[in-house]
Amino acid sequence: MFNTRIRVPETAAAGEAVEIRAMIMHPMDNGFTYSTQGTLIPVNIITDFTCRYLGEVVVQVRLEPGISANPIFTFSLRATESGPVEFEWIDQNGDVTTASADLTVT
Amino acid sequence: MRALAVLLLLAAPAQAEPVSGYDFLMPETQALQDDDFANPGLLWVDQGAALWAQEGCTGCHGDATGSMRGVGAHYPVWSDERDRIVTIDEQIDYCRTERLGLDPLPRGATDMTALDAYVMHQSRGLPVAVALDRPELTEAHARGEEYYYTPRGQLDLACADCHVTNEGMRLRGEVLSQGQANGFPIYRQLWQDIGSLDRMIRWCHESVRAAPPADDDPVWEDLELYLRARGNGLPVETPAVRR
Amino acid sequence: MIDRRRLLAGAGGLAAIAVVPLPAAATPADAAAAITEAFGDDRPFTDGPIIIEAPALAETGNSVPITVRAERAMDAPDRITRMALFSENNPRAALFAVSFGPAAAEAAIATNIRLNGTQQIICVAETADGTLIRAIHEIRVVVSACTTLEAQF
């Protein structure tokens, strides 16, 4: 599990487009950098990010080493009814980090 | 107080108004620093908040947003009890080891930088206000200043050669700032990581191919005191974002 | 006044400390190959309502804010289902790919990317009825991500 920051508004009107933001603490080592000792730092990246709302996919992202460290994504979902907004990050070793927040639809 | 300020002004060598490194950045980088969600340094502020609770700082200091407001803006300080200058990192580690019985954190350890960022963040927006109101502090400040103006390394450059004499100059896309310390720990795009003032000072030594002082050399405290006092009046920006 | 050459050597970023081979940059041909890998090569590109927003001049290639957005409703039969970004000058051409699910309000996403110098960024989008749309955007970079790599201690 890595540290994450997510932003989901607490409430939204039905039909509203809601901005969602999600960030994770991760170096996204791209395999081209060298340590202070001069050794090559191997590739170490988050490969997949998914956001679901009421169990349905909002966005699903495939990340490459060209994404900056501490990847952040901003996108929007269409509010329909109250329920969870869930986030999942998977790194290249298959380790999963999750976060979630509830959205109340009025 | 006023008389003291006048005296200090007279004593200091003629120096330009302090300008934050923020003012030497392009608008997107400034916007990233100002974004209360996306500023990547906030990931470490969050980590510091978690450590604050986990390590037991709450037991004595309660909620940091109240108890630590303004604290970081005054550091380094003189401690009579310890008979030495104490930087903010050293104060945090003192509480950790002496009061909580935890193992000391090495310089630059991520947890140390996270706690530093969390404590300094509580002073965000307040003016840096390092006091030089006793001889131990003015003497240390003078030693720090001497270090700052002494050329070193294969390139034989002093800190001041870049950050005073050539302030504002463009070097291969870099713009030399005054090298102020009001944003530390900073999230630096070059590192793609957070970095303490310690890490920055080491980087600047490498940039002139000089060895940084030994870890236990008291000149570290002198230099930090000098650097932070140089920025008196600038707002604390922690976590600042820099190139 | 101190000598400018010495200053340049210093602030230029320590190239002499760790002399490392720079990774080979991708070429427009590599980008084209990566696009073929992702979308096949049997469909022509059309123009469409894809907008790439990024600063015209980025301060550092280590992190360039970028937004890709399709100005087309998500309930249209030709709504955008997938977008992918490619670099013509990074060591790897593929930057990221995103699929938009049924809960998305629009086909738009923002993130930060690494750019090895001034170059064109290509966005390819696929619609629900199988059409491909391509958009191209040039970004100038002051300090590229890859020439500063060796200065990252």
Side-chain angles (χ1 to χ4, degrees):
Chain A
M1 288 285 278
F2 298 97
N3 293 347
T4 60
R5 286 170 71 76
I6 57 171
R7 178 176 281 175
V8 176
E10 274 173 25
T11 59
E16 193 184 333
V18 177
E19 186 187 86
I20 306 293
R21 306 186 87 180
M23 172 156 72
I24 185 165
M25 189 195 274
H26 196 282
M28 291 296 285
D29 291 315
N30 61 7
F32 300 112
T33 50
Y34 288 77
S35 73
T36 332
Q37 283 75 42
T39 51
L40 192 65
I41 302 169
V43 176
N44 174 25
I45 65 168
I46 300 278
T47 53
D48 296 276
F49 166 72
T50 308
C51 172
R52 290 186 180 81
Y53 167 48
L54 300 166
E56 287 200 291
V57 169
V58 184
V59 293
Q60 198 156 24
V61 183
R62 177 79 191 175
L63 291 79
E64 303 284 345
I67 294 283
S68 305
N70 309 302
I72 178 167
F73 294 106
T74 304
F75 48 90
S76 60
L77 60 75
R78 182 74 63 197
T80 52
E81 48 192 273
S82 298
V85 180
E86 294 165 295
F87 303 85
E88 181 186 81
W89 293 261
I90 305 177
D91 72 9
Q92 62 185 45
N93 305 318
D95 289 337
V96 179
T97 298
T98 57
S100 77
D102 284 318
L103 177 66
T104 303
V105 177
T106 53
Chain B
M1 195 59 222
R2 182 107 187 261
L4 176 70
V6 172
L7 266 180
L8 282 175
L9 274 177
L10 288 176
Q15 208 165 54
E17 276 288 295
V19 177
S20 170
Y22 181 88
D23 295 340
F24 294 82
L25 300 172
M26 285 174 52
E28 317 91 67
T29 312
Q30 292 179 336
L32 185 59
Q33 173 171 322
D34 295 339
D35 188 322
D36 275 336
F37 179 83
N39 176 336
L42 293 169
L43 286 163
W44 284 268
V45 171
D46 288 351
Q47 184 177 330
L51 286 166
W52 180 269
Q54 273 160 30
E55 294 200 329
C57 316
T58 320
C60 294
H61 295 294
D63 181 355
T65 55
S67 66
M68 290 292 136
R69 179 81 181 145
V71 167
H74 296 277
Y75 272 72
V77 298
W78 178 260
S79 162
D80 270 332
E81 195 191 315
R82 278 166 270 167
D83 192 34
R84 56 171 293 177
I85 292 171
V86 178
T87 66
I88 191 72
D89 282 19
E90 288 161 353
Q91 174 64 47
I92 292 169
D93 219 30
Y94 183 78
C95 281
R96 293 183 65 268
T97 52
E98 299 300 313
R99 301 197 161 107
L100 289 164
L102 298 166
D103 288 334
L105 286 170
R107 274 177 190 275
T110 310
D111 281 358
M112 185 72 244
T113 309
L115 279 168
D116 177 358
Y118 182 59
V119 170
M120 289 305 296
H121 183 62
Q122 307 311 322
S123 298
R124 189 155 77 152
L126 297 176
V128 176
V130 176
L132 299 173
D133 54 0
R134 48 186 300 153
E136 291 89 342
L137 290 167
T138 47
E139 283 157 21
H141 182 266
R143 288 192 300 271
E145 180 166 40
E146 195 192 331
Y147 192 87
Y148 200 77
Y149 281 85
T150 306
R152 61 178 53 80
Q154 267 178 47
L155 301 178
D156 199 32
L157 290 170
C159 313
D161 286 328
C162 283
H163 293 301
V164 178
T165 323
N166 284 288
E167 175 198 337
M169 184 165 142
R170 291 200 149 266
L171 294 168
R172 300 191 192 167
E174 272 289 4
V175 182
L176 285 171
S177 74
Q178 291 184 354
Q180 293 289 356
N182 58 312
F184 282 83
I186 61 172
Y187 185 83
R188 197 164 180 221
Q189 298 287 17
L190 174 64
W191 296 329
Q192 294 273 285
D193 193 9
I194 196 111
S196 59
L197 182 56
D198 196 281
R199 183 174 184 183
M200 187 78 233
I201 292 172
R202 286 174 198 278
W203 187 89
C204 284
H205 276 82
E206 296 280 354
S207 80
V208 296
R209 283 156 228 161
D215 278 3
D216 57 355
D217 189 331
V219 82
W220 278 105
E221 281 82 16
D222 300 341
L223 185 58
E224 177 157 350
L225 177 73
Y226 175 73
L227 287 174
R228 299 221 187 237
R230 243 182 120 224
N232 271 347
L234 291 178
V236 173
E237 292 175 16
T238 314
V241 176
R242 297 289 184 258
R243 263 183 316 271
Chain C
M1 230 7 230
I2 54 161
D3 159 9
R4 190 185 151 91
R5 268 203 348 267
R6 256 194 303 144
L7 262 181
L8 270 170
L14 322 147
I17 292 176
V19 180
V20 296
L22 286 178
T27 61
D30 294 335
I35 292 170
T36 302
E37 195 185 317
F39 295 95
D41 59 359
D42 51 350
R43 286 176 287 175
F45 297 118
T46 57
D47 287 336
I50 304 290
I51 295 167
I52 304 176
E53 291 164 18
L57 179 66
E59 177 150 35
T60 156
N62 287 306
S63 182
V64 181
I66 191 163
T67 303
V68 282
R69 171 193 316 282
E71 302 215 305
R72 182 173 285 172
M74 289 307 275
D75 52 8
D78 58 352
R79 69 191 175 86
I80 306 295
T81 52
R82 186 155 73 107
M83 291 201 279
L85 251 81
F86 302 90
S87 146
E88 288 198 337
N89 198 37
N90 276 14
R92 266 181 77 89
L95 288 166
F96 70 92
V98 53
S99 308
F100 298 98
E106 57 170 339
I109 193 160
T111 189
N112 296 321
I113 57 173
R114 293 173 169 146
L115 291 180
N116 179 30
T118 297
Q119 57 177 293
Q120 290 196 352
I121 295 303
I122 303 169
C123 175
V124 178
E126 185 172 33
T127 66
D129 58 8
T131 320
L132 296 184
I133 302 171
R134 185 175 57 179
I136 297 177
H137 189 85
E138 173 158 311
I139 304 176
R140 288 197 297 135
V141 176
V142 179
V143 182
S144 86
C146 301
T147 56
T148 53
L149 293 180
E150 68 271 36
Q152 288 200 342
F153 49 86

